[in-house]
Amino acid sequence: MSTNKKIWTLIFTSSEAAINLYSILLVFQQTKGSGIINREDVKRITQWLRNIRRQISNIDKLSNDTHGPFRQRDMSPIIASLELDSRERSLMIYICKIIYEQLATPKGRLDWIKNQGQADYDFAVENYKTWLTVLENENAYQDSK
């Protein structure tokens, strides 16, 4: 089967996991790709943001919280996801790699901890690592309907 007919599912296990990715995607949308991704990819990100908003109604408010490390975190389990076709999967891998590699740098680590706290940093690293593992797995897909 061609990869074009496959669907990968990116699962958010908590509101907090969704907020971390949502915040990053929102920056890409607001900056029109920051020169890193093209206009078509920004349109995909806009669709992802809408999809996440439909599943987590208060995510805009939660992602805009300015309490930093003192922000109340919602680690309760949820069932939310994004279904990604082959092209979207490639884009999400690219975005997750950018963030994961940035988190691994000393400056990225210190900045994240300063802004969000150590627990949030550790949680973000684990999420991005898991998402990359799932998305990079050629066999972790379902056939499209």
Side-chain angles (χ1 to χ4, degrees), residues 80-108:
S81 63
L82 287 175
E83 288 190 349
L84 309 170
D85 64 23
S86 178
R87 173 71 184 112
E88 292 169 326
R89 170 186 170 244
S90 294
L91 175 59
M92 187 61 80
I93 288 171
Y94 179 67
I95 290 170
C96 285
K97 278 185 178 180
I98 289 171
I99 302 310
Y100 187 70
E101 289 170 3
Q102 180 64 30
L103 286 169
T105 67
K107 182 174 179 3

Side-chain angles (χ1 to χ4, degrees), residues 1-11 82-86 89 93 133-145:
M1 168 170 276
S2 113
T3 15
N4 292 336
K5 303 223 186 224
K6 297 176 184 176
I7 300 294
W8 283 260
T9 304
L10 186 67
I11 297 172
L82 287 175
E83 288 190 349
L84 309 170
D85 64 23
S86 178
R89 170 186 170 244
I93 288 171
T133 299
V134 168
L135 292 172
E136 289 177 331
N137 183 347
E138 283 292 331
N139 298 314
Y141 66 86
Q142 64 188 32
D143 295 336
S144 63
K145 300 165 186 131

Side-chain angles (χ1 to χ4, degrees), residues 1-100:
M1 168 170 276
S2 113
T3 15
N4 292 336
K5 303 223 186 224
K6 297 176 184 176
I7 300 294
W8 283 260
T9 304
L10 186 67
I11 297 172
F12 306 110
T13 56
S14 68
S15 292
E16 196 62 34
I19 291 166
N20 281 341
L21 182 61
Y22 184 89
S23 299
I24 299 296
L25 295 176
L26 195 58
V27 170
F28 275 107
Q29 181 199 43
Q30 291 171 342
T31 61
K32 298 184 181 5
S34 300
I36 297 171
I37 59 173
N38 64 37
R39 188 176 305 185
E40 189 61 37
D41 290 340
V42 173
K43 287 179 186 178
R44 282 183 167 81
I45 286 173
T46 300
Q47 291 170 343
W48 293 344
L49 291 169
R50 274 191 226 118
N51 188 330
I52 295 169
R53 265 188 231 113
R54 274 193 293 271
Q55 296 176 68
I56 305 169
S57 59
N58 61 343
I59 197 156
D60 278 316
K61 180 182 177 209
L62 295 170
S63 68
N64 203 17
D65 188 325
T66 58
H67 292 96
F70 306 106
R71 176 172 65 81
Q72 178 96 16
R73 286 172 174 57
D74 184 356
M75 303 302 279
S76 57
I78 64 167
I79 299 173
S81 63
L82 287 175
E83 288 190 349
L84 309 170
D85 64 23
S86 178
R87 173 71 184 112
E88 292 169 326
R89 170 186 170 244
S90 294
L91 175 59
M92 187 61 80
I93 288 171
Y94 179 67
I95 290 170
C96 285
K97 278 185 178 180
I98 289 171
I99 302 310
Y100 187 70

Side-chain angles (χ1 to χ4, degrees), residues 111-130:
D111 286 348
W112 193 290
I113 291 170
K114 178 182 169 192
N115 292 324
Q116 300 299 327
Q118 181 69 48
D120 192 74
Y121 172 81
D122 294 339
F123 187 67
V125 168
E126 187 58 37
N127 281 317
Y128 284 100
K129 181 179 177 182
T130 299

